Amino acid sequence: MKKIISLLLLLLITSCQYFDMQVPSKKELLDKEMKSINWNEVDEYPSFSECEKIKDKSTRERCFFELLTQTIQEKLSIDTLAILYPELDTIEVKVTVFPNATMEFEPQFPKDSVAYDKVKIDSILHSRLIDFPKVNPAIKRGIPVKTQFILPVIIKTE
């Protein structure tokens, strides 16, 4: 009986070490999780409904960018950019897709560029780049997020 009591007492004393372990705080756990997330990548790229049926992530991404570029080129090909600026064959456009599924377009110019009327080009872009197909925003950890990227858009195809 003394052996059993001694054994139980020893077990009780050694098991108390498990109760002394520090449990990380919510803040420590959150900080650790936030550091482990790569904020420069999304889990799912933005997508148009035509691309949604594609299961492969890279193929779906390519579908989105090809459709977006094609749509922008079609909308700009009917405008006066090629007439106003015959030397301009490609323009870079910063595309922003917001979590609420809206899009914004902004022309990008070289820093030393003074040859173009930036206000006029911006105005043409804003007037032409409307009525896009519905876009689904990018997803990061199940939450819609804002994404931005720069697309080279060919204006002249001659």
Side-chain angles (χ1 to χ4, degrees):
M1 182 77 155
K2 282 186 175 184
K3 282 187 174 185
I4 294 175
I5 293 175
S6 296
L7 187 59
L8 284 174
L9 189 55
L10 179 63
L11 185 60
L12 182 62
I13 290 171
T14 57
S15 67
C16 287
Q17 293 173 359
Y18 296 112
F19 296 116
D20 288 342
M21 288 193 321
Q22 291 291 339
V23 176
S25 72
K26 288 180 186 178
K27 184 176 179 352
E28 289 171 334
L29 289 173
L30 179 62
D31 288 344
K32 184 179 178 183
E33 184 67 17
M34 294 298 274
K35 288 177 185 174
S36 72
I37 297 172
N38 182 351
W39 292 105
N40 295 320
E41 292 182 13
V42 294
D43 300 333
E44 293 179 37
Y45 278 87
S47 183
F48 292 112
S49 59
E50 294 88 37
C51 304
E52 287 292 314
K53 59 185 174 268
I54 300 170
K55 297 296 179 203
D56 180 62
K57 183 178 178 179
S58 62
T59 307
R60 184 189 295 185
E61 174 188 348
R62 193 170 343 118
C63 173
F64 170 73
F65 284 112
E66 287 173 359
L67 186 59
L68 179 63
T69 303
Q70 177 186 358
T71 306
I72 291 173
Q73 286 172 339
E74 287 172 2
K75 288 180 177 287
L76 292 180
S77 70
I78 58 173
D79 213 321
T80 57
L81 277 179
I83 296 167
L84 287 172
Y85 303 102
E87 71 285 353
L88 187 64
D89 62 348
T90 303
I91 187 168
E92 290 189 337
V93 178
K94 180 165 76 172
V95 179
T96 305
V97 180
F98 293 97
N100 65 357
T102 59
M103 297 174 73
E104 184 177 275
F105 303 94
E106 181 183 339
Q108 302 294 293
F109 300 99
K111 295 200 184 298
D112 58 349
S113 174
V114 292
Y116 307 114
D117 184 347
K118 295 175 186 178
V119 174
K120 187 177 279 188
I121 292 175
D122 189 52
S123 172
I124 291 170
L125 276 173
H126 282 97
S127 67
R128 289 292 179 202
L129 299 181
I130 55 173
D131 298 327
F132 263 77
K134 182 183 180 313
V135 64
N136 299 313
I139 303 292
K140 181 70 175 182
R141 301 187 72 120
I143 299 171
V145 293
K146 173 180 152 182
T147 49
Q148 289 184 319
F149 37 87
I150 297 178
L151 284 178
V153 178
I154 299 170
I155 294 173
K156 276 196 247 178
T157 57
E158 299 170 4

